[in-house]
Amino acid sequence: MMPKHEKTYLTKANFMLHGGDYNPDQWLDQPDILADDIKLMRLSHTNTFSVGIFAWSALEPEEGVYQFEWLDEIFANIHGIGGRIILATPSGARPAWLSQKYPEVLRVDASRVKQLHGMRHNHCFTSEAYREKTEQINRLLAERYGDHPALLMWHISNEYGGECHCDKCQSAFKKWLKNKYNDDLKALNDAWWGPFWSHTFNDWSQIESPSPIGENMVHGLNLDWRRFVTDQTISFYENEIVPLRELTPEIPITTNFMADTHDLIPFQSLDYSKFAKHLDVISWDAYPAWHNDWETTADLASKVGFINDLYRSLKQQPFLLMESTPSGVNWHDVNKAKRPGMHLLSSMQMLAHGSDSVLYFQWRKSRGSSEKFHGAVVDHDNSSENRVFKEVAKVGETLEKLSAVVGTNRTSDVAILYDWENNWALNDAQGYGMQSKRYPQTLQEHYRAFWDKDIPVDVITKEQDFSSYKLLVVPMLYLVSEETIGRLKEFVANGGTLVMTYISGIVNEYDLTYLGGWHKDLQELFGINPQETDTLYPKDRNAVLYGNKTYELKDYATVLDVHSAVVEGQYQTDFYADTPALTSKQYGEGKSYYIGARLEADFHQDFYGKLIEELAIEPAHSVKHSEGVSIQVREDQENEYVFVMNFTEQQQTVSFGATVKDLVTEEELTGDLTLEKYEVRIVAKAKND
């Protein structure tokens, strides 16, 4: 791994990318609009545009009939103003002729119903015909534009997701299973606990994907199906990029990851930890519901930070914000506009956590269809004088002064472990509270304790190296293999501090429970044996006494048998009153902690505050401030780049302990500074000062 203070340039550009999805194919019969686009691109201080994402019908209106001339002109016009292009492959939405001639490309849903042509992403990832057609159009794009000086990066398809249950996918799934289980049907039956409900298979042909009209209660089957869907999606992606790697090996490749929106948690349908290994650059589409009525601005900002730190940590390098909105969207339950100042603040937060871009969906609002009211840089008024356009231009002017930040990374002594497979298995478990498991949200609650203290965090996956961290937090690690257990033991034995919580270490990688009590290595590591987990109704409450202070408990409480651990906290009521709720144990050179209950935010603040002090974990930069202000830092060998962000609706005062330089205004700042509502300042400090 490259040292984090070394710069990592994601593309040939050494400047912040600003622009977004540009769909000139919607306006080919209105050349005046296309001419206005070029003028407005200059005025908005934008420099990079994602082109061709849904343009297949414009590029190939009939099979074998190609129309690239319009795209040639777009390349020339954008290059003429010094702009760059992220060229997309068009597989995210097929033309109608393709569906009509090759119906095998249409998906079959889990109920075995063949889908009609339409929408987006309604294509079978196994279809040989679709793989052939996508590879063909991608090769033509690479041959025509691979050497163009404006080409900056490849954008593969768009927001991969979904699944297909057609006969071809069933065959591919069986082949995948045979490979995984070494053609041993008994091994599969053992892993899926086949005798339950008489679900033992005696021929591979009997196996089908999960279905609401068939089998969907075999948890091992469900888990393997989700793994297969990820692998088959990656296989389709790998087929798409064959000509691009062959013809343009120097051009980096990305595809845009997503987040589930209401609670702003990582996208669940694909295991991005696997997908990330196949990308040169991680990019994602961020659409937080700012100004909502169920959380504070700071609450939401912390969740955005968590996902940023997860996607950045997947490759331990900067990432790109591929899509965002400069105003509102058209698919939230309530599509509220960003308030003045929020666009700059939210954009700078992306940079603060590692993005080297602010890109939008979309450049110009569509005139018709489902996204005609989705936010855009250019509205239906075609004006540069409205509020949104001016705020975009301000972001662009700001980004032009932040080129020194490009390629810089973040360093952290703290990691939180996130695992997609764990979430799949836990959600499938028919136990605990069906609505209160909330695995990603629980991780975000633990993350918040560090975010509030300006402690940088890497959100890592189980395959990544643990050894560089002082503190590793693994809440609700329900599914954990013996290999991972061994790596956790090694981490602590070598001096690390590990925090684990309730509902951890329950099943192995096949979603089979460990027998004989908690896994013996976990018992050794933590000095406890969890006996049972009490699941509470939403109105139920208990409490835990820790450090002479009582903290509210809800949802879950694990009864513990302690044999070699130190009791740090006790339950206060119910049949397990006065029994251990929180323990610690010295193990080798390090220390382990087990939190048996879901506790309130104040507990996280106090508990992790104590660990931060004991482990001498320092904020990346010391700026005194009130609650709701976030300080995030990127750094290179010489400088720290400090983002000071006010995620509150009030004025806030911050205090710099040393003289810093504002990168936007070029002022030198020291001592107290007043931040207005939603204000952000980006400052630099030399490391040797």
Side-chain angles (χ1 to χ4, degrees), residues 67-84:
Q67 295 180 352
F68 291 112
E69 292 77 14
W70 67 268
L71 188 53
D72 295 344
E73 185 175 351
I74 296 302
F75 262 84
N77 290 342
I78 291 177
H79 184 236
I81 60 171
R84 304 297 181 91

Side-chain angles (χ1 to χ4, degrees), residues 93 152 259 382 439 450 523 576 680:
L152 191 63
N382 201 42
Y439 168 69
F450 301 99
Q523 292 192 46
Y576 39 88
V680 56

Side-chain angles (χ1 to χ4, degrees), residues 13 22 194 206-207 297 336 384 396 421 444 533 559 583 590 598:
Y22 180 36
Q206 297 163 359
I207 300 171
T297 302
K336 193 169 185 176
S384 62
E421 292 187 349
Q444 289 174 330
T533 296
V559 180
T583 63
R598 179 171 286 174

Side-chain angles (χ1 to χ4, degrees), residues 173-222:
F173 182 42
K174 293 179 181 68
K175 182 178 179 180
W176 184 93
L177 291 170
K178 287 181 179 180
N179 181 66
K180 177 174 181 177
Y181 292 100
N182 299 312
D183 212 15
D184 184 348
L185 196 54
K186 183 181 185 305
L188 178 144
N189 282 315
D190 290 345
W192 291 1
W193 207 243
F196 179 77
W197 285 357
S198 195
H199 284 339
T200 300
F201 299 104
N202 57 28
D203 192 273
W204 293 97
S205 64
Q206 297 163 359
I207 300 171
E208 291 195 55
S209 60
S211 172
I213 63 169
E215 182 52 68
N216 59 17
M217 294 293 183
V218 174
H219 293 168
L221 165 62
N222 295 345

Side-chain angles (χ1 to χ4, degrees), residues 13 31 33 43 52 60 99 271 345 371 409 479 520 566 612 652:
I33 292 289
L43 293 174
E60 190 180 4
S99 299
D271 185 345
L345 173 62
E371 290 177 326
N409 212 325
L479 181 149
K520 63 182 188 310
V566 175
I612 288 167
Q652 300 288 347

